[in-house]
Amino acid sequence: MTQTMAVAKALNESLRKALENDPKVLIMGEDVGKLGGVFRITDGLYKDFGEGRVIDTPLAESGIVGTAIGLALRGYRPVVEIQFDGFVFPAYDQIVTQLAKMHARALGKIKLPVVIRIPYGGGIGAVEHHSESPEALFAHVPGLKVVSPSNSSDAYWMLQQAIECDDPVIFFEPKRRYWDKGEVDVAALPGDLHRAVVAQQGTDVTLAAYGPMVKVCLEAAAAAANEGRSLEVVDLRSLSPIDFDTIEASVRRTGRLVVVHEAPVFYGAGAEIAARITERCFYHLEAPVLRVGGFHAPYPPARLEEEYLPGLDRVLDAVDRALAF
């Protein structure tokens, strides 16, 4: 039952499976219906499931999320697409003050099984507001679960698990990985949605990453191996909650940790990971926990984005600094 799929196709098949399995699952967003989404993630679903379940909405993110909250209150499982990362902010109030808090406000009597899909990150040569990495803003909010797949298999299974979850899930999709292909076992039993995995074993330094940066870290591990260095790569997969146990186990083996993400380093997810692992692994660390990420500056024009985005050289430079201690 193993198939080769691009990440975009895996997401499409995952949505199709969810629509088939549960008549309460709805898809809604800008151009998700007849067009099939700007990245064609919902391609063919409008034709096969109809306008009552794959719904083209107005250009109004706050209204889209507010409507999804109302539908969830009536027993539906809405899957919202935010067309681009930078477009989510008009809906931020609905997400933070309503979606994230309703369960606690109702003392557990109300559940809001809403998934908000957000294509995020750079690397596609887009214009302003189309290459943001706002995941830390959502991971900071209690009541939200935040996840990001890095490969086709996780894209397929994690999206279905998010849809089945009774809590609101912000599902960040690394858009520059949409066309990367990988193996998907559609008959497998998926693991824990919020469990990190060791993507590659190593002994000298742990690289912890998620979403688009996992591939960069695997490339860094391959390059380091040519120099006789062994890097372990941990794919975090989930940012809220974070599986600190898996990171800790890896750091206890390697003694060094470099956290890599595309978002700015300043107040990024790496800061929380660095602080927590320093507390939990203080006597096992051979070097300070280092972070690699974007600069604390607005995302640049397309011609400069390769200078902004963390790449192989910046990751390997951090590895060198960690090993120098």
Side-chain angles (χ1 to χ4, degrees), residues 12 37-38 40 56 80 100 114 120 154 156 180 210 212 304 313 318:
N12 178 272
V38 293
R40 302 300 185 266
D56 278 322
V80 170
V114 176
Y120 80 118
D154 277 351
Y156 180 81
D180 291 0
Y210 56 88
L304 297 175
D313 289 343

Side-chain angles (χ1 to χ4, degrees), residues 19 23-28 45-46 48-56 71 76:
L19 288 165
K24 292 293 187 179
V25 172
L26 306 174
I27 295 173
M28 53 195 299
L45 301 181
Y46 179 90
D48 293 341
F49 295 94
E51 63 182 6
R53 298 191 65 196
V54 183
I55 304 163
D56 278 322
L71 286 164
Y76 291 92

Side-chain angles (χ1 to χ4, degrees), residues 259 261 265-276 291:
V259 187
H261 51 65
V265 168
F266 188 71
Y267 277 96
E272 176 64 25
I273 295 169
R276 195 72 66 95
R291 293 173 290 154

Side-chain angles (χ1 to χ4, degrees), residues 191-205:
D192 187 335
L193 175 63
H194 301 292
R195 179 60 56 88
V197 298
V198 177
Q200 178 166 314
Q201 293 184 334
T203 58
D204 295 334
V205 180

Side-chain angles (χ1 to χ4, degrees), residues 42-289:
T42 55
D43 189 40
L45 301 181
Y46 179 90
K47 170 179 166 291
D48 293 341
F49 295 94
E51 63 182 6
R53 298 191 65 196
V54 183
I55 304 163
D56 278 322
T57 67
L59 305 183
E61 285 77 13
S62 181
I64 297 168
V65 173
T67 301
I69 292 170
L71 286 164
L73 288 170
R74 296 302 297 263
Y76 291 92
R77 290 183 177 272
V79 182
V80 170
E81 178 181 300
I82 301 296
Q83 198 169 72
F84 283 92
D85 35 51
F87 299 174
V88 71
F89 298 109
Y92 194 72
D93 177 41
Q94 290 280 6
I95 295 169
V96 171
T97 63
Q98 304 299 338
L99 185 62
K101 298 198 170 48
M102 189 69 76
H103 184 70
R105 186 183 298 147
L107 302 179
K109 295 182 176 67
I110 292 175
K111 297 178 180 179
L112 292 180
V114 176
V115 175
I116 300 178
R117 295 178 41 245
I118 305 177
Y120 80 118
I124 65 168
V127 296
E128 190 179 16
H129 309 309
H130 291 67
S131 301
E132 309 294 330
S133 295
E135 59 270 21
L137 299 176
F138 295 94
H140 185 69
V141 178
L144 298 177
K145 294 185 175 182
V146 181
V147 300
S148 179
S150 68
N151 56 70
S152 298
S153 181
D154 277 351
Y156 180 81
W157 285 113
M158 289 173 66
L159 183 52
Q160 290 184 59
Q161 291 174 294
I163 295 169
E164 292 168 359
C165 181
D166 286 334
D167 298 313
V169 179
I170 312 298
F171 194 89
F172 281 100
E173 300 171 5
K175 67 171 84 76
R176 66 165 152 157
R177 304 299 179 214
Y178 274 154
W179 301 277
D180 291 0
K181 293 185 177 181
E183 297 298 310
V184 179
D185 185 348
V186 297
L189 292 175
D192 187 335
L193 175 63
H194 301 292
R195 179 60 56 88
V197 298
V198 177
Q200 178 166 314
Q201 293 184 334
T203 58
D204 295 334
V205 180
T206 297
L207 301 180
Y210 56 88
M213 286 292 104
V214 173
K215 182 177 181 179
V216 174
C217 287
L218 289 170
E219 292 171 348
N226 294 329
E227 300 176 353
R229 294 172 172 177
S230 176
L231 307 185
E232 182 150 297
V233 179
V234 176
D235 184 350
L236 298 176
R237 303 173 72 247
S238 175
L239 292 175
S240 183
I242 294 175
D243 177 11
F244 288 107
D245 290 344
T246 297
I247 307 170
E248 178 182 347
S250 177
V251 173
R252 284 174 178 265
R253 290 192 297 271
T254 66
R256 294 172 171 85
L257 174 63
V258 177
V259 187
V260 184
H261 51 65
E262 195 171 302
V265 168
F266 188 71
Y267 277 96
E272 176 64 25
I273 295 169
R276 195 72 66 95
I277 293 302
T278 298
E279 292 175 3
R280 294 173 65 157
C281 299
F282 185 79
Y283 292 106
H284 296 270
L285 286 168
E286 301 289 343
V289 178

